Structures are given as structure tokens and as C-alpha cells.
Amino acid sequence: MRPVFEKIDVSSLELKDQVVSINRVTKVVKGGKNLSFTALVVIGDGAGHVGYGMGKAREVASAIKKGVEAAKKGVVRVPLTEKGATIPHSITGRFGSGVVMLKPASEGTGVIAGGAVRAVITAAGIQNVLTKSLGSTTAHNVVKATMDALVRLKAPQKVARLRGRTVEEIMDTRTPPQKPAAANPSATEAE
């Protein structure tokens, strides 16, 4: 079942595009070969909004432009944590045979990701995350699997409200109770 997400007005966002892959494709016809290009583009504002699109045209520039327009139609909001700019919880995204694991990381870790996953993560504005791409290495499948994971992320505030609890109880940010200090046997012997 596809998750339902809100429609985002992209005219108010300052979106930056990044080309993930450009592929040259040919079609054999009676008169020879028709050459065209496909471009996979990721756009994002670096503050939690990201989208992807694919464009196909006779020239590379036109393919990229079409990809950007397609990406603007599918921009989604990604929940980020306040401190560290990471994701709220671990998640695995799937598309076809592409599987991408995303894990939150502590501040200062940076983006540990390769190629297509890095493009999506940086466009979304996530600064500290650990990722692992499993299965397919095709850029299209990896981007779609990463987007699947980001769409399925849940904000802690929303989960807490649904469960009728506080965010602290959900995130369990409390320190674990300390064990009582055992009497030091060497100290009693010295007396």
C-alpha cells in the first residue's frame, strides 16, 4: 500500500537540482538508429523537501529540464530531528530489487552513502546518516528505494500523538537508571 502524503507547493521553495545519471539510449528504426538521452534528476531544498524525476529527450539539456519538471510534481516532506539533522529512526526502503537501509547517526558523522543514495540524502538536507545499498545497483531503483524509505519515515511527535504518550516516552531519551554502587571490599579491610 502506497503511503499518502500531502501536496507541497514548490513555488515557495528554493529547490536545487542534481543530476544522478544520464543514459544514452538508441532505438533501431528502418532508416537507422534514433539516439536520445534519459536523465534521472533529484531536487531538494536542503530543509526536508526532496523529489525525483526522469526526463527523456533528443538533447541532454532538454532531458534534464524535463526531469526537473517531473521531480517538482513529486516533492515530499522528510521528517528530520532538531539536533544533528538526521532521521528519527532506522528504516529500509524497497523498490524492485533495490533495497536501501538508512540509520540515524550522531552529530559529526556526516553522510555515509554512495552515489545515488547520497544525491537524495543531501538534497533532503540530512547531514548525519549511515546508509547501505543492498540488491540492485541501478541508479533508478536505488533512488526510488531511498525515496520509499524517506516517505515512510514517521515524525516522533506524530507517533507520540497517535499512541497518547509524550515524545520522551517514545524516543526513550532518558538516561538508564544507575546501579547502586557496591561496597568496596578493599576499603573495609583497610580499617
Short mmCIF file of all heavy atoms in Angstrom, two decimals, residues 35-73:
data_model
loop_
_atom_site.label_atom_id
_atom_site.label_comp_id
_atom_site.label_asym_id
_atom_site.label_seq_id
_atom_site.Cartn_x
_atom_site.Cartn_y
_atom_site.Cartn_z
N LEU A 35 18.81 8.30 -31.68
CA LEU A 35 19.57 8.49 -30.46
C LEU A 35 18.84 9.46 -29.55
O LEU A 35 18.39 10.51 -30.00
CB LEU A 35 20.95 9.05 -30.82
CG LEU A 35 21.94 9.21 -29.68
CD1 LEU A 35 22.48 7.86 -29.24
CD2 LEU A 35 23.08 10.11 -30.11
N SER A 36 18.69 9.11 -28.27
CA SER A 36 18.10 10.04 -27.31
C SER A 36 18.76 9.82 -25.95
O SER A 36 19.53 8.90 -25.76
CB SER A 36 16.58 9.85 -27.21
OG SER A 36 16.26 8.56 -26.75
N PHE A 37 18.45 10.71 -25.01
CA PHE A 37 19.07 10.67 -23.68
C PHE A 37 18.00 10.64 -22.59
O PHE A 37 16.96 11.29 -22.73
CB PHE A 37 19.96 11.90 -23.47
CG PHE A 37 21.12 11.96 -24.41
CD1 PHE A 37 21.01 12.61 -25.63
CD2 PHE A 37 22.31 11.35 -24.09
CE1 PHE A 37 22.08 12.66 -26.51
CE2 PHE A 37 23.39 11.38 -24.95
CZ PHE A 37 23.27 12.04 -26.16
N THR A 38 18.27 9.88 -21.53
CA THR A 38 17.41 9.91 -20.35
C THR A 38 18.21 10.49 -19.20
O THR A 38 19.41 10.19 -19.07
CB THR A 38 16.91 8.51 -19.94
OG1 THR A 38 18.03 7.69 -19.61
CG2 THR A 38 16.11 7.86 -21.05
N ALA A 39 17.56 11.31 -18.39
CA ALA A 39 18.23 11.93 -17.24
C ALA A 39 17.43 11.67 -15.98
O ALA A 39 16.21 11.88 -15.96
CB ALA A 39 18.38 13.42 -17.47
N LEU A 40 18.08 11.17 -14.95
CA LEU A 40 17.47 10.98 -13.64
C LEU A 40 17.92 12.14 -12.76
O LEU A 40 19.12 12.33 -12.55
CB LEU A 40 17.90 9.64 -13.03
CG LEU A 40 17.32 9.29 -11.67
CD1 LEU A 40 15.79 9.16 -11.75
CD2 LEU A 40 17.93 8.01 -11.16
N VAL A 41 16.96 12.93 -12.29
CA VAL A 41 17.26 14.16 -11.57
C VAL A 41 16.63 14.12 -10.18
O VAL A 41 15.49 13.67 -10.02
CB VAL A 41 16.72 15.39 -12.34
CG1 VAL A 41 17.06 16.68 -11.64
CG2 VAL A 41 17.26 15.40 -13.75
N VAL A 42 17.37 14.60 -9.18
CA VAL A 42 16.86 14.75 -7.82
C VAL A 42 16.86 16.23 -7.48
O VAL A 42 17.82 16.93 -7.77
CB VAL A 42 17.75 13.98 -6.81
CG1 VAL A 42 17.34 14.26 -5.38
CG2 VAL A 42 17.70 12.50 -7.08
N ILE A 43 15.73 16.71 -6.89
CA ILE A 43 15.68 18.10 -6.46
C ILE A 43 15.36 18.15 -4.97
O ILE A 43 14.73 17.24 -4.43
CB ILE A 43 14.64 18.93 -7.25
CG1 ILE A 43 13.23 18.39 -7.05
CG2 ILE A 43 14.99 19.00 -8.71
CD1 ILE A 43 12.15 19.30 -7.55
N GLY A 44 15.83 19.22 -4.30
CA GLY A 44 15.56 19.38 -2.89
C GLY A 44 15.95 20.76 -2.43
O GLY A 44 16.74 21.46 -3.09
N ASP A 45 15.39 21.17 -1.28
CA ASP A 45 15.70 22.50 -0.75
C ASP A 45 16.71 22.43 0.39
O ASP A 45 17.11 23.45 0.92
CB ASP A 45 14.43 23.21 -0.29
CG ASP A 45 13.77 22.54 0.90
OD1 ASP A 45 14.13 21.39 1.20
OD2 ASP A 45 12.89 23.17 1.50
N GLY A 46 17.15 21.24 0.77
CA GLY A 46 18.11 21.10 1.85
C GLY A 46 17.51 21.31 3.23
O GLY A 46 18.22 21.43 4.21
N ALA A 47 16.17 21.37 3.30
CA ALA A 47 15.49 21.58 4.59
C ALA A 47 14.34 20.61 4.78
O ALA A 47 13.35 20.93 5.42
CB ALA A 47 15.00 23.01 4.67
N GLY A 48 14.45 19.43 4.19
CA GLY A 48 13.43 18.41 4.41
C GLY A 48 12.48 18.18 3.25
O GLY A 48 11.55 17.39 3.38
N HIS A 49 12.68 18.82 2.12
CA HIS A 49 11.85 18.58 0.94
C HIS A 49 12.72 17.98 -0.15
O HIS A 49 13.80 18.49 -0.46
CB HIS A 49 11.22 19.89 0.42
CG HIS A 49 10.24 20.49 1.38
ND1 HIS A 49 10.61 21.43 2.29
CD2 HIS A 49 8.93 20.25 1.58
CE1 HIS A 49 9.55 21.77 3.01
NE2 HIS A 49 8.52 21.07 2.60
N VAL A 50 12.23 16.90 -0.77
CA VAL A 50 13.00 16.22 -1.82
C VAL A 50 12.05 15.55 -2.80
O VAL A 50 10.94 15.15 -2.45
CB VAL A 50 14.00 15.20 -1.19
CG1 VAL A 50 13.26 14.06 -0.54
CG2 VAL A 50 14.99 14.68 -2.21
N GLY A 51 12.50 15.43 -4.05
CA GLY A 51 11.73 14.76 -5.09
C GLY A 51 12.65 14.27 -6.19
O GLY A 51 13.79 14.73 -6.30
N TYR A 52 12.17 13.35 -7.00
CA TYR A 52 12.97 12.84 -8.11
C TYR A 52 12.10 12.77 -9.37
O TYR A 52 10.88 12.71 -9.29
CB TYR A 52 13.57 11.47 -7.81
CG TYR A 52 12.56 10.35 -7.82
CD1 TYR A 52 12.36 9.59 -8.97
CD2 TYR A 52 11.78 10.06 -6.70
CE1 TYR A 52 11.41 8.57 -8.99
CE2 TYR A 52 10.85 9.06 -6.71
CZ TYR A 52 10.67 8.32 -7.86
OH TYR A 52 9.73 7.32 -7.89
N GLY A 53 12.76 12.80 -10.53
CA GLY A 53 12.03 12.70 -11.79
C GLY A 53 12.96 12.23 -12.90
O GLY A 53 14.18 12.30 -12.79
N MET A 54 12.33 11.75 -13.98
CA MET A 54 13.10 11.29 -15.11
C MET A 54 12.63 12.01 -16.37
O MET A 54 11.42 12.20 -16.56
CB MET A 54 12.91 9.78 -15.29
CG MET A 54 13.95 9.18 -16.22
SD MET A 54 13.65 7.44 -16.51
CE MET A 54 12.81 7.54 -18.06
N GLY A 55 13.57 12.44 -17.19
CA GLY A 55 13.25 13.11 -18.44
C GLY A 55 13.92 12.41 -19.59
O GLY A 55 15.02 11.84 -19.44
N LYS A 56 13.29 12.43 -20.74
CA LYS A 56 13.85 11.78 -21.93
C LYS A 56 13.69 12.72 -23.11
O LYS A 56 12.59 13.25 -23.34
CB LYS A 56 13.12 10.47 -22.19
CG LYS A 56 13.74 9.61 -23.25
CD LYS A 56 13.04 8.26 -23.30
CE LYS A 56 13.67 7.38 -24.35
NZ LYS A 56 12.99 6.09 -24.44
N ALA A 57 14.79 12.97 -23.82
CA ALA A 57 14.75 13.89 -24.97
C ALA A 57 15.92 13.62 -25.90
O ALA A 57 16.82 12.83 -25.58
CB ALA A 57 14.77 15.34 -24.48
N ARG A 58 15.89 14.30 -27.04
CA ARG A 58 16.97 14.14 -28.02
C ARG A 58 18.28 14.78 -27.56
O ARG A 58 19.35 14.35 -27.94
CB ARG A 58 16.56 14.78 -29.36
CG ARG A 58 15.53 13.97 -30.14
CD ARG A 58 16.19 12.74 -30.72
NE ARG A 58 15.30 11.94 -31.53
CZ ARG A 58 15.15 12.08 -32.84
NH1 ARG A 58 15.80 13.02 -33.48
NH2 ARG A 58 14.34 11.28 -33.49
N GLU A 59 18.17 15.85 -26.74
CA GLU A 59 19.38 16.51 -26.22
C GLU A 59 19.44 16.36 -24.71
O GLU A 59 18.41 16.25 -24.05
CB GLU A 59 19.37 18.00 -26.56
CG GLU A 59 19.67 18.30 -28.01
CD GLU A 59 18.47 18.92 -28.70
OE1 GLU A 59 17.68 19.58 -28.00
OE2 GLU A 59 18.31 18.73 -29.90
N VAL A 60 20.65 16.39 -24.16
CA VAL A 60 20.85 16.20 -22.72
C VAL A 60 20.18 17.33 -21.93
O VAL A 60 19.49 17.07 -20.94
CB VAL A 60 22.36 16.14 -22.38
CG1 VAL A 60 22.58 16.06 -20.89
CG2 VAL A 60 23.02 14.96 -23.07
N ALA A 61 20.34 18.56 -22.36
CA ALA A 61 19.77 19.70 -21.63
C ALA A 61 18.25 19.61 -21.55
O ALA A 61 17.66 19.89 -20.50
CB ALA A 61 20.19 21.01 -22.30
N SER A 62 17.62 19.20 -22.63
CA SER A 62 16.17 19.06 -22.64
C SER A 62 15.73 17.92 -21.72
O SER A 62 14.71 18.02 -21.04
CB SER A 62 15.66 18.77 -24.06
OG SER A 62 16.02 19.82 -24.92
N ALA A 63 16.50 16.84 -21.69
CA ALA A 63 16.18 15.70 -20.83
C ALA A 63 16.26 16.10 -19.36
O ALA A 63 15.39 15.75 -18.56
CB ALA A 63 17.11 14.53 -21.12
N ILE A 64 17.29 16.88 -19.02
CA ILE A 64 17.44 17.35 -17.64
C ILE A 64 16.29 18.28 -17.26
O ILE A 64 15.73 18.17 -16.17
CB ILE A 64 18.81 18.04 -17.44
CG1 ILE A 64 19.94 17.01 -17.57
CG2 ILE A 64 18.88 18.75 -16.09
CD1 ILE A 64 21.33 17.60 -17.62
N LYS A 65 15.93 19.17 -18.17
CA LYS A 65 14.83 20.11 -17.90
C LYS A 65 13.52 19.35 -17.66
O LYS A 65 12.76 19.66 -16.74
CB LYS A 65 14.68 21.06 -19.09
CG LYS A 65 13.70 22.17 -18.86
CD LYS A 65 13.65 23.12 -20.04
CE LYS A 65 12.57 24.16 -19.84
NZ LYS A 65 12.39 25.02 -21.00
N LYS A 66 13.26 18.33 -18.48
CA LYS A 66 12.05 17.51 -18.30
C LYS A 66 12.10 16.75 -16.99
O LYS A 66 11.08 16.58 -16.31
CB LYS A 66 11.90 16.52 -19.46
CG LYS A 66 11.43 17.14 -20.75
CD LYS A 66 11.27 16.06 -21.80
CE LYS A 66 10.81 16.63 -23.13
NZ LYS A 66 10.66 15.56 -24.14
N GLY A 67 13.28 16.27 -16.61
CA GLY A 67 13.45 15.57 -15.34
C GLY A 67 13.16 16.46 -14.15
O GLY A 67 12.53 16.04 -13.18
N VAL A 68 13.61 17.72 -14.21
CA VAL A 68 13.35 18.68 -13.13
C VAL A 68 11.85 18.95 -13.00
O VAL A 68 11.31 18.99 -11.89
CB VAL A 68 14.14 19.99 -13.36
CG1 VAL A 68 13.68 21.08 -12.41
CG2 VAL A 68 15.63 19.75 -13.22
N GLU A 69 11.18 19.11 -14.14
CA GLU A 69 9.73 19.35 -14.11
C GLU A 69 8.98 18.15 -13.53
O GLU A 69 8.04 18.31 -12.75
CB GLU A 69 9.21 19.66 -15.53
CG GLU A 69 9.71 20.97 -16.10
CD GLU A 69 9.39 22.16 -15.21
OE1 GLU A 69 8.24 22.29 -14.74
OE2 GLU A 69 10.32 22.97 -14.97
N ALA A 70 9.42 16.94 -13.87
CA ALA A 70 8.79 15.74 -13.33
C ALA A 70 9.07 15.62 -11.83
O ALA A 70 8.20 15.19 -11.06
CB ALA A 70 9.31 14.50 -14.06
N ALA A 71 10.26 16.01 -11.40
CA ALA A 71 10.63 15.93 -9.99
C ALA A 71 9.81 16.90 -9.14
O ALA A 71 9.46 16.59 -8.00
CB ALA A 71 12.12 16.21 -9.82
N LYS A 72 9.50 18.07 -9.68
CA LYS A 72 8.71 19.07 -8.94
C LYS A 72 7.30 18.57 -8.65
O LYS A 72 6.69 18.99 -7.68
CB LYS A 72 8.63 20.38 -9.73
CG LYS A 72 9.92 21.18 -9.69
CD LYS A 72 9.79 22.47 -10.45
CE LYS A 72 11.09 23.25 -10.42
NZ LYS A 72 11.03 24.47 -11.23
N LYS A 73 6.81 17.65 -9.45
CA LYS A 73 5.46 17.12 -9.24
C LYS A 73 5.41 16.11 -8.10
O LYS A 73 4.34 15.81 -7.59
CB LYS A 73 4.94 16.46 -10.52
CG LYS A 73 4.71 17.44 -11.64
CD LYS A 73 4.30 16.74 -12.91
CE LYS A 73 4.17 17.74 -14.05
NZ LYS A 73 3.94 17.06 -15.34
#
